[in-house]
Amino acid sequence: PSISYTYNEPLVAYETVLDTAELARRAGLRNIVVTNGYVQPEPMARLLPFIDAMNIDLKAFDDKVYRSWCGGSLQPVLDTITQCSAACHVEVTILVVPGMNDSLDALEPAFVWLGRLDSRIPLHITRYFPANRYAAPPTDTMLLHRLRDAASRHLENVYVGNV
């Protein structure tokens, strides 16, 4: 039995997640957070004692891409992955988006970094589909499999999703 804090960015409602996770823990429930990982270390440290698992989205491994596509920066997300992987079960998801991060050159540094952090971190390489205002075609499935093969040289648990 667990509660998963997901859809949209749950940590936008940080205080609600923290209060709920603490109450859930007291009631014997597990807590799972699905997040973009863009959170400061201090509030994350207050939340982590109540969290059992996290899935953190890594949008790209290039600060310029983070700035232009997400309006943020890469380092806080890397810091969150590092902090959380030392405290609970962490899985990382990379949505492979055509025109943004859809090449081995763009993603191999992420695979290397994650493998050095902890080669047992599960990585989900996920297929993009057009939605809302971005109409690029769906991610090529053969590319996803090539990325999986490349990531598997650094990580033990690599999965292709949305195919």
Side-chain angles (χ1 to χ4, degrees):
S2 64
I3 297 174
S4 293
Y5 308 88
T6 185
Y7 291 101
N8 294 315
E9 172 51 50
L11 297 181
V12 168
Y14 171 83
E15 292 82 1
T16 301
V17 172
L18 177 62
D19 292 346
T20 305
E22 187 173 1
L23 290 169
R25 174 58 54 85
R26 281 195 232 142
L29 297 171
R30 295 183 183 266
N31 292 289
I32 302 161
V33 175
V34 180
T35 177
N36 64 23
Y38 211 83
V39 60
Q40 293 293 317
E42 296 81 14
M44 183 53 75
R46 286 194 301 275
L47 180 61
L48 276 171
F50 308 107
I51 302 304
D52 298 284
M54 298 185 80
N55 186 297
I56 302 173
D57 292 330
L58 182 59
K59 309 293 187 193
F61 206 75
D62 180 323
D63 198 59
K64 290 177 187 169
V65 172
Y66 255 91
R67 289 190 186 284
S68 65
W69 286 78
C70 306
S73 57
L74 171 61
Q75 193 59 52
V77 179
L78 299 181
D79 293 344
T80 298
I81 293 169
T82 301
Q83 179 183 15
C84 295
S85 67
C88 69
H89 176 79
V90 168
E91 301 192 12
V92 173
T93 296
I94 298 175
L95 178 66
V96 181
V97 180
M100 183 180 99
N101 63 355
D102 61 333
S103 71
L104 182 56
D105 288 342
L107 293 176
E108 182 140 36
F111 307 154
V112 171
W113 183 85
L114 286 167
R116 288 182 180 152
L117 179 63
D118 183 347
S119 65
R120 297 166 298 163
I121 291 176
L123 174 64
H124 302 271
I125 299 172
T126 306
R127 188 177 193 202
Y128 154 89
F129 287 95
N132 199 10
R133 291 177 273 165
Y134 194 64
T139 312
D140 177 65
T141 57
M142 294 305 294
L143 171 63
L144 296 173
H145 293 290
R146 287 192 304 273
L147 292 170
R148 179 204 55 215
D149 293 345
S152 294
R153 291 194 291 270
H154 307 281
L155 296 157
E156 297 172 22
N157 303 294
V158 182
Y159 307 94
V160 171
N162 282 352
V163 292

